[in-house]
Amino acid sequence: MGRETVIALVGKPSSGKSTTLNSLTDANAKVGAFPFTTIDPNKATGYLEVECACSRMKLQSQCKPNYGYCRDGKRGVPIMLLDVAGLVPNAHLGRGLGNKFLGDLTEADALIHIVDASGTTNAEGKATRGYDPLADIEWLQDEIFRWILGNLTERWGSVVRRHTATKSSTLETLRAQLGGYSANKQLIGKALDLLPGLAPLQEWDNETIEKVVKAFMKVKFPTILALNKMDHPDADKNVSKIILKYPDTKAVLTSSITEVFLRKLAGQGYIKYDSGTEFIDTADDIPGLKPLDDKLRNRIENIRDLVLYRFGSTGVVQLLQAAAETLDLIPFFPVRSMNFNGEVFRDCVLVKRGTPVILVARKIMGEVTIASIEGVGGNRVSEDDTVDVGKNDILSFKVVPGGR
Ligand SMILES: Nc1nc2c(ncn2[C@@H]2O[C@H](COP(=O)(O)OP(=O)(O)O)[C@@H](O)[C@H]2O)c(=O)[nH]1
Ligand SMILES: [Mg+2]
């Protein structure tokens, strides 16, 4: 199957990366772990929650995911998460692609910038009060910018000489120079599309190179903001400031520590809690749950008042959904046949909205010869037709036996 979606959590020390990673993993992970090839403490499986095809088809009781989970038609699709702890202030000074954290970044399809919105940690992550988290957002962008810019300008002279000598196109030369960031031609082409009327590469001045790097960052590192620690009373005013300053960036308010705590209580049998919602049931609501002492009861009341009722949830489920939205990813359900007897919807993969169905087939099955493609209801679907939510997102690919 095609490459998994990878999301990197970045942010200064003590912003809450590890807590957020923990809050996003192991949720309902009763069914099947994800077969990642390497075991790395900073890698974990998160679950993107989507509407499962079984809900639309009223087949919830037959739904049996191979990976992730399906709960009442809510499907958790595994995605890979990275905790990139090495991206600290001035990290770009240790430049070069061998840099471990930068390698982590290049693997990612999108970044989630965990921002300490409470302003209780300074630029280095040390405890303080009244720190302006806007500075962190600028810092992170600048850090990545200076890293890429530094790597490129350091050898600009020879880049231009080679470019001229080989009569390469701008796209080819940039492909060679930026390919190390796991950027293919298509992605670099997209970056160049953002800059119409660009001069020939040999004429670029510093300002132009900077513009190119910024455009490249936009397509290579789409970033979602997690405005974390929103349970803290100082977070409110910072959140408004950030949203005003970055109206086009997706921002999600989170309290990952609350999510971790609620999951722990649920695991211990004190509460029933569905991530992504504002509802907590206790022994008062559901007999059989463990009774709460006064201290726990107070803490839960506080969490309801300060987080759940004010913001609607702890935000962490919405965080991955925002990342998927930014990447325009939708769930796709390949099925063996359109008769839905027995166990159904074992597989679910994320694909870009609007992908032609033949490319979806390639992603899932590789270079096999497709004889026909069947949609729900048995109708034939053309190879060039595209996928969207509710359209060609449940398909059966019929392969030519033995065909390659
Ligand atoms: N109030 C509050 N504190 C949090 C939250 N998330 C993390 N923290 C605290 O912030 C500190 C740093 O968290 P950690 O996840 O280790 O940060 P990292 O260095 O970015 O990985 C810890 O003391 C956490 O308990 C949150 O949502 N609210
Ligand atoms: Mg950490």
Side-chain angles (χ1 to χ4, degrees), residues 71-265:
R71 219 185 332 112
D72 304 330
K74 272 196 214 156
R75 177 97 170 206
V77 187
I79 56 180
M80 198 211 262
L81 302 172
L82 300 177
D83 178 347
V84 183
L87 189 51
V88 295
N90 280 326
H92 73 274
L93 296 176
R95 279 204 308 257
L97 282 166
N99 208 318
K100 154 96 175 79
F101 81 81
L102 300 168
D104 283 352
L105 278 196
T106 60
E107 245 188 278
D109 298 296
L111 310 184
I112 293 181
H113 182 185
I114 315 286
V115 178
D116 178 350
S118 72
T120 55
T121 50
N122 70 11
E124 277 75 42
K126 302 262 166 13
T128 184
R129 265 320 264 281
Y131 177 82
D132 184 356
L134 272 177
D136 293 341
I137 300 173
E138 279 148 29
W139 156 69
L140 188 93
Q141 290 174 346
D142 197 51
E143 198 69 51
I144 298 173
F145 172 70
R146 290 208 268 168
W147 163 52
I148 301 172
L149 185 69
N151 286 339
L152 192 59
T153 50
E154 174 171 271
R155 44 173 196 255
W156 190 248
S158 63
V159 171
V160 173
R161 274 195 301 281
R162 201 183 142 71
H163 175 78
T164 321
T166 56
K167 298 193 167 59
S168 299
S169 68
T170 299
L171 185 60
E172 281 161 347
T173 295
L174 283 185
R175 165 82 178 93
Q177 294 310 313
L178 300 173
Y181 304 90
S182 315
N184 58 21
K185 219 166 173 169
Q186 194 196 3
L187 195 139
I188 292 168
K190 253 195 232 164
L192 290 175
D193 287 346
L194 295 176
L195 302 167
L198 201 62
L201 184 134
Q202 59 274 17
E203 292 167 23
W204 290 0
D205 54 9
N206 284 343
E207 204 182 311
T208 310
I209 299 174
E210 288 179 11
K211 267 205 292 207
V212 170
V213 170
K214 287 209 167 122
F216 175 65
M217 278 175 66
K218 234 186 216 156
V219 294
K220 174 59 205 174
F221 300 111
T223 303
I224 296 100
L225 300 175
L227 306 182
N228 193 35
K229 309 196 187 178
M230 50 99 150
D231 50 277
H232 193 282
D234 291 356
D236 268 1
K237 63 174 197 312
N238 291 328
V239 164
S240 329
K241 257 196 344 199
I242 293 168
I243 289 172
L244 271 175
K245 176 103 191 259
Y246 295 96
D248 300 328
T249 305
K250 265 205 175 66
V252 179
L253 278 64
T254 60
S255 175
S256 38
I257 204 166
T258 303
E259 180 73 18
V260 169
F261 180 66
L262 291 178
R263 291 224 182 139
K264 197 174 101 195
L265 286 188

Side-chain angles (χ1 to χ4, degrees), residues 12-19 42 83-85:
K12 73 180 180 187
S14 293
S15 56
K17 294 180 294 299
S18 301
T19 310
N42 298 323
D83 178 347
V84 183

Side-chain angles (χ1 to χ4, degrees), residues 4-27:
E4 274 69 65
T5 303
V6 180
I7 308 235
L9 307 185
V10 295
K12 73 180 180 187
S14 293
S15 56
K17 294 180 294 299
S18 301
T19 310
T20 304
L21 188 82
N22 289 335
S23 78
L24 287 168
T25 53
D26 294 328

Side-chain angles (χ1 to χ4, degrees), residues 27-44:
N28 313 289
K30 291 166 213 127
V31 197
F34 205 38
F36 289 138
T37 43
T38 45
I39 296 167
D40 182 329
N42 298 323
K43 270 185 193 158

